[in-house]
Amino acid sequence: MPNSKFLNLAVDNQVTWPPEETVFNFEGYRLILMPPTREHTTSIHIDLVGQRITSEKAVSLINRFLSLMTWCDDNFAILQEGWSGNPIPVPVPKPNLGLITAYNWFFDRNVPASPEARKALALYREGRNAEQNYFISYAILSYYKIIELKFGDFQGPKVRDWIAANYAALKADKALAREIADFEKERGNEEPQKYHNSACRVAVAHSSIANPSDLDELPELRRLDFGFGDFE
């Protein structure tokens, strides 16, 4: 239709997917699924203008769809990056999986002697892998557990004191100005260390009534990621 503006997003998944471009209705909106090809990855598309939906609500809608597919097929479905603005749905190219190489490569590190350091490295790898694959909640838990490991203090005052003591240096980093501004807006008058504990760590670990967290909602993923990375 005239003035269409499609949102095109990649989907890494092992759920049942149609073998050809397919249009279907979900929760009152028209979604388009595209299968993988030699050059393109599996993808999902929606006309933001034609469907009268914001990109934020569209991503949340698509997450709802993928959550249902995950439940029905008992397999994974990860919404990945994309873009918007095309007048027609555009297949998403496969990512460039080339490795970082060095002309003169050498490695002279040893495994740390400290069991705690080894565990911290393992948690960092898990967190970084989760962040790379858009598992923001698991990344937060992994990073937070590194601080807990340092003090042997599960959600205790030592962890909160450490966050409070180091937040000023983080806030002064100009490279993080946008993330800090978003985080400051979200935490309001609550102290940074208390916000990280209750609204982030506890919210994703327990999703209690007092600290709810709906991980299908894009605003919630962004909120959680303000203090730990940069989710787009």
Side-chain angles (χ1 to χ4, degrees):
M1 64 175 296
N3 302 319
S4 289
K5 180 182 177 182
F6 275 88
L7 176 65
N8 311 290
L9 296 172
V11 182
D12 183 17
N13 72 91
Q14 283 294 318
V15 297
T16 305
W17 209 260
E20 58 188 20
E21 182 175 331
T22 301
V23 181
F24 72 103
N25 292 315
F26 179 72
E27 295 294 311
Y29 293 92
R30 284 162 53 89
L31 298 177
I32 300 174
L33 302 185
M34 290 190 180
T37 66
R38 180 175 297 180
E39 295 82 19
H40 302 104
T41 188
T42 310
S43 58
I44 191 165
H45 313 258
I46 184 172
D47 182 359
L48 301 177
V49 173
Q51 298 297 296
R52 298 181 180 180
I53 187 172
T54 65
S55 58
E56 189 173 84
K57 289 183 178 179
V59 171
S60 299
L61 175 75
I62 292 169
N63 275 330
R64 296 287 185 205
F65 165 70
L66 294 178
S67 293
L68 281 175
M69 292 293 288
T70 297
W71 170 255
C72 292
D73 286 10
D74 192 23
N75 224 319
F76 70 89
I78 307 167
L79 188 63
Q80 299 186 317
E81 294 179 339
W83 70 92
S84 64
N86 301 98
I88 59 173
V90 176
V92 179
K94 286 185 176 179
N96 182 1
L97 300 179
L99 300 176
I100 298 175
T101 60
Y103 183 75
N104 293 310
W105 186 89
F106 63 92
F107 186 84
D108 62 352
R109 297 293 185 93
N110 296 315
V111 175
S114 164
E116 288 75 17
R118 295 198 295 269
K119 291 176 184 177
L121 284 174
L123 285 168
Y124 182 80
R125 175 179 56 81
E126 289 286 293
R128 191 63 189 84
N129 289 350
E131 189 176 353
Q132 179 68 24
N133 286 284
Y134 308 93
F135 298 140
I136 304 304
S137 61
Y138 190 80
I140 286 174
L141 287 178
S142 296
Y143 296 148
Y144 204 99
K145 284 192 288 187
I146 294 173
I147 307 174
E148 293 176 339
L149 180 66
K150 175 180 175 64
F151 298 105
D153 186 30
F154 177 68
Q155 297 186 47
K158 292 181 181 179
V159 171
R160 293 193 291 273
D161 289 347
W162 185 89
I163 292 175
N166 286 274
Y167 182 68
L170 188 69
K171 190 175 180 180
D173 189 338
K174 294 182 179 180
L176 299 174
R178 181 173 67 86
E179 290 84 353
I180 293 296
D182 289 336
F183 176 74
E184 290 286 305
K185 180 180 178 181
E186 286 293 332
R187 76 178 179 90
N189 295 323
E190 190 169 11
E191 294 178 341
Q193 65 274 18
K194 292 182 178 179
Y195 181 86
H196 266 125
N197 178 260
S198 61
C200 296
R201 201 271 186 235
V202 174
V204 299
H206 305 291
S207 196
S208 64
I209 295 176
N211 298 287
S213 184
D214 186 342
L215 299 178
D216 273 344
E217 295 288 341
L218 181 58
E220 174 66 358
L221 291 175
R222 284 176 171 161
R223 182 192 72 80
L224 291 172
D225 202 39
F226 287 150
F228 291 86
D230 184 18
F231 179 78
E232 294 293 348

PDB file of all heavy atoms in Angstrom, residues 1 22 45 61 95 106 111 116 119 124 135 138-139 147 153 165-166 168 171-172 189-190 200 212 215:
ATOM      1  N   MET A   1       0.840  -1.182   0.000  1.00  0.00           N
ATOM      2  CA  MET A   1       0.000   0.000   0.000  1.00  0.00           C
ATOM      3  C   MET A   1       0.883   1.241   0.000  1.00  0.00           C
ATOM      4  O   MET A   1       2.059   1.181   0.353  1.00  0.00           O
ATOM      5  CB  MET A   1      -0.914   0.016   1.230  1.00  0.00           C
ATOM      6  CG  MET A   1      -0.221   0.123   2.560  1.00  0.00           C
ATOM      7  SD  MET A   1      -1.371   0.271   3.953  1.00  0.00           S
ATOM      8  CE  MET A   1      -2.142   1.846   3.578  1.00  0.00           C
ATOM      9  N   THR A  22       4.999 -16.163   3.565  1.00  0.00           N
ATOM     10  CA  THR A  22       3.645 -16.422   4.046  1.00  0.00           C
ATOM     11  C   THR A  22       3.120 -15.232   4.843  1.00  0.00           C
ATOM     12  O   THR A  22       3.810 -14.707   5.723  1.00  0.00           O
ATOM     13  CB  THR A  22       3.621 -17.671   4.952  1.00  0.00           C
ATOM     14  OG1 THR A  22       4.091 -18.792   4.190  1.00  0.00           O
ATOM     15  CG2 THR A  22       2.220 -17.952   5.468  1.00  0.00           C
ATOM     16  N   HIS A  45       8.297  -9.881   9.201  1.00  0.00           N
ATOM     17  CA  HIS A  45       8.115  -8.516   8.710  1.00  0.00           C
ATOM     18  C   HIS A  45       6.716  -8.015   9.039  1.00  0.00           C
ATOM     19  O   HIS A  45       5.757  -8.795   9.072  1.00  0.00           O
ATOM     20  CB  HIS A  45       8.314  -8.469   7.190  1.00  0.00           C
ATOM     21  CG  HIS A  45       9.540  -9.207   6.731  1.00  0.00           C
ATOM     22  ND1 HIS A  45      10.710  -8.579   6.386  1.00  0.00           N
ATOM     23  CD2 HIS A  45       9.770 -10.546   6.574  1.00  0.00           C
ATOM     24  CE1 HIS A  45      11.607  -9.491   6.034  1.00  0.00           C
ATOM     25  NE2 HIS A  45      11.055 -10.691   6.146  1.00  0.00           N
ATOM     26  N   LEU A  61       4.965  -7.434  19.868  1.00  0.00           N
ATOM     27  CA  LEU A  61       4.005  -8.344  19.241  1.00  0.00           C
ATOM     28  C   LEU A  61       4.708  -9.567  18.662  1.00  0.00           C
ATOM     29  O   LEU A  61       4.262 -10.712  18.852  1.00  0.00           O
ATOM     30  CB  LEU A  61       3.237  -7.609  18.135  1.00  0.00           C
ATOM     31  CG  LEU A  61       2.274  -8.451  17.299  1.00  0.00           C
ATOM     32  CD1 LEU A  61       1.015  -8.773  18.096  1.00  0.00           C
ATOM     33  CD2 LEU A  61       1.912  -7.714  15.999  1.00  0.00           C
ATOM     34  N   PRO A  95      24.133 -13.028   8.490  1.00  0.00           N
ATOM     35  CA  PRO A  95      25.209 -12.243   9.101  1.00  0.00           C
ATOM     36  C   PRO A  95      26.573 -12.716   8.638  1.00  0.00           C
ATOM     37  O   PRO A  95      26.754 -13.886   8.283  1.00  0.00           O
ATOM     38  CB  PRO A  95      25.014 -12.495  10.605  1.00  0.00           C
ATOM     39  CG  PRO A  95      24.319 -13.819  10.671  1.00  0.00           C
ATOM     40  CD  PRO A  95      23.422 -13.866   9.463  1.00  0.00           C
ATOM     41  N   PHE A 106      49.389 -14.512  18.853  1.00  0.00           N
ATOM     42  CA  PHE A 106      50.044 -15.254  19.931  1.00  0.00           C
ATOM     43  C   PHE A 106      49.137 -15.198  21.159  1.00  0.00           C
ATOM     44  O   PHE A 106      48.293 -14.320  21.297  1.00  0.00           O
ATOM     45  CB  PHE A 106      51.427 -14.672  20.255  1.00  0.00           C
ATOM     46  CG  PHE A 106      51.388 -13.262  20.772  1.00  0.00           C
ATOM     47  CD1 PHE A 106      51.318 -12.999  22.130  1.00  0.00           C
ATOM     48  CD2 PHE A 106      51.401 -12.184  19.881  1.00  0.00           C
ATOM     49  CE1 PHE A 106      51.281 -11.700  22.606  1.00  0.00           C
ATOM     50  CE2 PHE A 106      51.351 -10.874  20.361  1.00  0.00           C
ATOM     51  CZ  PHE A 106      51.294 -10.637  21.719  1.00  0.00           C
ATOM     52  N   VAL A 111      45.389 -20.129  32.835  1.00  0.00           N
ATOM     53  CA  VAL A 111      44.162 -20.210  33.616  1.00  0.00           C
ATOM     54  C   VAL A 111      44.452 -19.682  35.023  1.00  0.00           C
ATOM     55  O   VAL A 111      45.456 -20.068  35.636  1.00  0.00           O
ATOM     56  CB  VAL A 111      43.661 -21.667  33.695  1.00  0.00           C
ATOM     57  CG1 VAL A 111      42.454 -21.758  34.621  1.00  0.00           C
ATOM     58  CG2 VAL A 111      43.322 -22.182  32.319  1.00  0.00           C
ATOM     59  N   GLU A 116      37.713 -18.759  42.281  1.00  0.00           N
ATOM     60  CA  GLU A 116      36.731 -17.694  42.095  1.00  0.00           C
ATOM     61  C   GLU A 116      36.963 -16.963  40.773  1.00  0.00           C
ATOM     62  O   GLU A 116      36.008 -16.617  40.067  1.00  0.00           O
ATOM     63  CB  GLU A 116      36.804 -16.695  43.264  1.00  0.00           C
ATOM     64  CG  GLU A 116      36.258 -17.211  44.580  1.00  0.00           C
ATOM     65  CD  GLU A 116      37.202 -18.193  45.255  1.00  0.00           C
ATOM     66  OE1 GLU A 116      38.398 -18.230  44.887  1.00  0.00           O
ATOM     67  OE2 GLU A 116      36.737 -18.952  46.125  1.00  0.00           O
ATOM     68  N   LYS A 119      35.667 -19.117  37.950  1.00  0.00           N
ATOM     69  CA  LYS A 119      34.209 -19.057  37.899  1.00  0.00           C
ATOM     70  C   LYS A 119      33.748 -17.718  37.303  1.00  0.00           C
ATOM     71  O   LYS A 119      32.786 -17.664  36.532  1.00  0.00           O
ATOM     72  CB  LYS A 119      33.619 -19.240  39.290  1.00  0.00           C
ATOM     73  CG  LYS A 119      33.794 -20.634  39.865  1.00  0.00           C
ATOM     74  CD  LYS A 119      33.265 -20.717  41.295  1.00  0.00           C
ATOM     75  CE  LYS A 119      33.514 -22.078  41.911  1.00  0.00           C
ATOM     76  NZ  LYS A 119      33.067 -22.126  43.340  1.00  0.00           N
ATOM     77  N   TYR A 124      31.383 -14.578  32.916  1.00  0.00           N
ATOM     78  CA  TYR A 124      31.490 -13.505  31.924  1.00  0.00           C
ATOM     79  C   TYR A 124      31.256 -14.045  30.511  1.00  0.00           C
ATOM     80  O   TYR A 124      30.565 -13.422  29.701  1.00  0.00           O
ATOM     81  CB  TYR A 124      32.860 -12.834  32.013  1.00  0.00           C
ATOM     82  CG  TYR A 124      32.992 -11.689  31.042  1.00  0.00           C
ATOM     83  CD1 TYR A 124      32.441 -10.443  31.330  1.00  0.00           C
ATOM     84  CD2 TYR A 124      33.639 -11.855  29.826  1.00  0.00           C
ATOM     85  CE1 TYR A 124      32.538  -9.399  30.431  1.00  0.00           C
ATOM     86  CE2 TYR A 124      33.744 -10.820  28.927  1.00  0.00           C
ATOM     87  CZ  TYR A 124      33.189  -9.589  29.223  1.00  0.00           C
ATOM     88  OH  TYR A 124      33.274  -8.565  28.322  1.00  0.00           O
ATOM     89  N   PHE A 135      19.712 -12.632  24.796  1.00  0.00           N
ATOM     90  CA  PHE A 135      19.140 -13.118  26.048  1.00  0.00           C
ATOM     91  C   PHE A 135      19.513 -12.133  27.155  1.00  0.00           C
ATOM     92  O   PHE A 135      20.365 -12.406  28.000  1.00  0.00           O
ATOM     93  CB  PHE A 135      19.668 -14.519  26.372  1.00  0.00           C
ATOM     94  CG  PHE A 135      19.305 -15.559  25.357  1.00  0.00           C
ATOM     95  CD1 PHE A 135      20.217 -16.532  24.987  1.00  0.00           C
ATOM     96  CD2 PHE A 135      18.048 -15.574  24.770  1.00  0.00           C
ATOM     97  CE1 PHE A 135      19.893 -17.498  24.045  1.00  0.00           C
ATOM     98  CE2 PHE A 135      17.719 -16.542  23.832  1.00  0.00           C
ATOM     99  CZ  PHE A 135      18.637 -17.500  23.468  1.00  0.00           C
ATOM    100  N   TYR A 138      19.286 -13.231  30.955  1.00  0.00           N
ATOM    101  CA  TYR A 138      20.326 -14.158  31.400  1.00  0.00           C
ATOM    102  C   TYR A 138      21.675 -13.455  31.476  1.00  0.00           C
ATOM    103  O   TYR A 138      22.490 -13.754  32.361  1.00  0.00           O
ATOM    104  CB  TYR A 138      20.412 -15.358  30.465  1.00  0.00           C
ATOM    105  CG  TYR A 138      21.285 -16.468  30.999  1.00  0.00           C
ATOM    106  CD1 TYR A 138      20.789 -17.361  31.943  1.00  0.00           C
ATOM    107  CD2 TYR A 138      22.599 -16.609  30.590  1.00  0.00           C
ATOM    108  CE1 TYR A 138      21.588 -18.368  32.460  1.00  0.00           C
ATOM    109  CE2 TYR A 138      23.413 -17.609  31.102  1.00  0.00           C
ATOM    110  CZ  TYR A 138      22.898 -18.487  32.027  1.00  0.00           C
ATOM    111  OH  TYR A 138      23.703 -19.477  32.541  1.00  0.00           O
ATOM    112  N   ALA A 139      21.926 -12.517  30.572  1.00  0.00           N
ATOM    113  CA  ALA A 139      23.171 -11.753  30.618  1.00  0.00           C
ATOM    114  C   ALA A 139      23.261 -10.965  31.921  1.00  0.00           C
ATOM    115  O   ALA A 139      24.306 -10.927  32.577  1.00  0.00           O
ATOM    116  CB  ALA A 139      23.259 -10.819  29.412  1.00  0.00           C
ATOM    117  N   ILE A 147      29.703 -10.151  40.498  1.00  0.00           N
ATOM    118  CA  ILE A 147      29.875  -9.276  41.665  1.00  0.00           C
ATOM    119  C   ILE A 147      29.550 -10.047  42.941  1.00  0.00           C
ATOM    120  O   ILE A 147      30.250  -9.931  43.949  1.00  0.00           O
ATOM    121  CB  ILE A 147      28.976  -8.033  41.542  1.00  0.00           C
ATOM    122  CG1 ILE A 147      29.203  -7.324  40.202  1.00  0.00           C
ATOM    123  CG2 ILE A 147      29.259  -7.059  42.686  1.00  0.00           C
ATOM    124  CD1 ILE A 147      28.248  -6.181  39.944  1.00  0.00           C
ATOM    125  N   ASP A 153      28.353 -12.908  48.547  1.00  0.00           N
ATOM    126  CA  ASP A 153      27.288 -12.170  49.233  1.00  0.00           C
ATOM    127  C   ASP A 153      26.067 -12.104  48.335  1.00  0.00           C
ATOM    128  O   ASP A 153      25.872 -11.142  47.600  1.00  0.00           O
ATOM    129  CB  ASP A 153      27.808 -10.768  49.552  1.00  0.00           C
ATOM    130  CG  ASP A 153      26.837  -9.950  50.393  1.00  0.00           C
ATOM    131  OD1 ASP A 153      26.090 -10.555  51.174  1.00  0.00           O
ATOM    132  OD2 ASP A 153      26.848  -8.723  50.245  1.00  0.00           O
ATOM    133  N   ALA A 165      29.760   2.348  45.182  1.00  0.00           N
ATOM    134  CA  ALA A 165      31.098   2.938  45.179  1.00  0.00           C
ATOM    135  C   ALA A 165      31.646   3.125  43.772  1.00  0.00           C
ATOM    136  O   ALA A 165      32.441   4.033  43.518  1.00  0.00           O
ATOM    137  CB  ALA A 165      32.048   2.061  46.001  1.00  0.00           C
ATOM    138  N   ASN A 166      31.225   2.285  42.834  1.00  0.00           N
ATOM    139  CA  ASN A 166      31.777   2.341  41.476  1.00  0.00           C
ATOM    140  C   ASN A 166      30.881   3.065  40.487  1.00  0.00           C
ATOM    141  O   ASN A 166      31.297   3.318  39.352  1.00  0.00           O
ATOM    142  CB  ASN A 166      32.042   0.916  40.968  1.00  0.00           C
ATOM    143  CG  ASN A 166      33.265   0.287  41.632  1.00  0.00           C
ATOM    144  OD1 ASN A 166      34.381   0.477  41.193  1.00  0.00           O
ATOM    145  ND2 ASN A 166      33.020  -0.441  42.710  1.00  0.00           N
ATOM    146  N   ALA A 168      29.845   6.147  40.391  1.00  0.00           N
ATOM    147  CA  ALA A 168      30.300   7.493  40.040  1.00  0.00           C
ATOM    148  C   ALA A 168      31.291   7.454  38.876  1.00  0.00           C
ATOM    149  O   ALA A 168      31.225   8.282  37.954  1.00  0.00           O
ATOM    150  CB  ALA A 168      30.932   8.172  41.254  1.00  0.00           C
ATOM    151  N   LYS A 171      29.433   6.643  35.716  1.00  0.00           N
ATOM    152  CA  LYS A 171      28.639   7.792  35.290  1.00  0.00           C
ATOM    153  C   LYS A 171      29.496   8.853  34.608  1.00  0.00           C
ATOM    154  O   LYS A 171      29.031   9.593  33.740  1.00  0.00           O
ATOM    155  CB  LYS A 171      27.927   8.384  36.503  1.00  0.00           C
ATOM    156  CG  LYS A 171      26.885   9.432  36.180  1.00  0.00           C
ATOM    157  CD  LYS A 171      26.151   9.867  37.442  1.00  0.00           C
ATOM    158  CE  LYS A 171      25.103  10.920  37.126  1.00  0.00           C
ATOM    159  NZ  LYS A 171      24.383  11.349  38.365  1.00  0.00           N
ATOM    160  N   ALA A 172      30.773   8.914  34.976  1.00  0.00           N
ATOM    161  CA  ALA A 172      31.676   9.913  34.410  1.00  0.00           C
ATOM    162  C   ALA A 172      32.209   9.521  33.035  1.00  0.00           C
ATOM    163  O   ALA A 172      32.834  10.341  32.351  1.00  0.00           O
ATOM    164  CB  ALA A 172      32.842  10.156  35.362  1.00  0.00           C
ATOM    165  N   ASN A 189      14.261   8.344  41.635  1.00  0.00           N
ATOM    166  CA  ASN A 189      14.869   8.722  42.905  1.00  0.00           C
ATOM    167  C   ASN A 189      15.474   7.534  43.657  1.00  0.00           C
ATOM    168  O   ASN A 189      16.030   7.711  44.743  1.00  0.00           O
ATOM    169  CB  ASN A 189      13.831   9.405  43.808  1.00  0.00           C
ATOM    170  CG  ASN A 189      13.350  10.726  43.231  1.00  0.00           C
ATOM    171  OD1 ASN A 189      14.130  11.468  42.633  1.00  0.00           O
ATOM    172  ND2 ASN A 189      12.067  11.026  43.401  1.00  0.00           N
ATOM    173  N   GLU A 190      15.354   6.342  43.092  1.00  0.00           N
ATOM    174  CA  GLU A 190      15.896   5.166  43.764  1.00  0.00           C
ATOM    175  C   GLU A 190      17.410   5.106  43.578  1.00  0.00           C
ATOM    176  O   GLU A 190      17.928   5.379  42.487  1.00  0.00           O
ATOM    177  CB  GLU A 190      15.256   3.890  43.218  1.00  0.00           C
ATOM    178  CG  GLU A 190      15.579   2.648  44.022  1.00  0.00           C
ATOM    179  CD  GLU A 190      14.749   1.449  43.631  1.00  0.00           C
ATOM    180  OE1 GLU A 190      14.058   1.522  42.585  1.00  0.00           O
ATOM    181  OE2 GLU A 190      14.771   0.445  44.355  1.00  0.00           O
ATOM    182  N   CYS A 200      16.245  -5.091  38.558  1.00  0.00           N
ATOM    183  CA  CYS A 200      16.969  -5.837  37.523  1.00  0.00           C
ATOM    184  C   CYS A 200      17.256  -7.267  37.971  1.00  0.00           C
ATOM    185  O   CYS A 200      16.691  -8.216  37.448  1.00  0.00           O
ATOM    186  CB  CYS A 200      18.274  -5.117  37.164  1.00  0.00           C
ATOM    187  SG  CYS A 200      18.024  -3.482  36.430  1.00  0.00           S
ATOM    188  N   PRO A 212       7.891  -7.175  38.798  1.00  0.00           N
ATOM    189  CA  PRO A 212       7.500  -7.916  37.602  1.00  0.00           C
ATOM    190  C   PRO A 212       8.441  -7.645  36.432  1.00  0.00           C
ATOM    191  O   PRO A 212       9.055  -6.583  36.350  1.00  0.00           O
ATOM    192  CB  PRO A 212       6.090  -7.385  37.309  1.00  0.00           C
ATOM    193  CG  PRO A 212       6.123  -5.990  37.838  1.00  0.00           C
ATOM    194  CD  PRO A 212       6.994  -6.044  39.076  1.00  0.00           C
ATOM    195  N   LEU A 215       9.446 -10.296  29.565  1.00  0.00           N
ATOM    196  CA  LEU A 215      10.555 -10.259  28.619  1.00  0.00           C
ATOM    197  C   LEU A 215      10.133 -10.303  27.164  1.00  0.00           C
ATOM    198  O   LEU A 215      10.982 -10.280  26.275  1.00  0.00           O
ATOM    199  CB  LEU A 215      11.521 -11.409  28.934  1.00  0.00           C
ATOM    200  CG  LEU A 215      12.132 -11.344  30.339  1.00  0.00           C
ATOM    201  CD1 LEU A 215      13.022 -12.538  30.579  1.00  0.00           C
ATOM    202  CD2 LEU A 215      12.889 -10.053  30.539  1.00  0.00           C
TER     203      LEU A 215
END
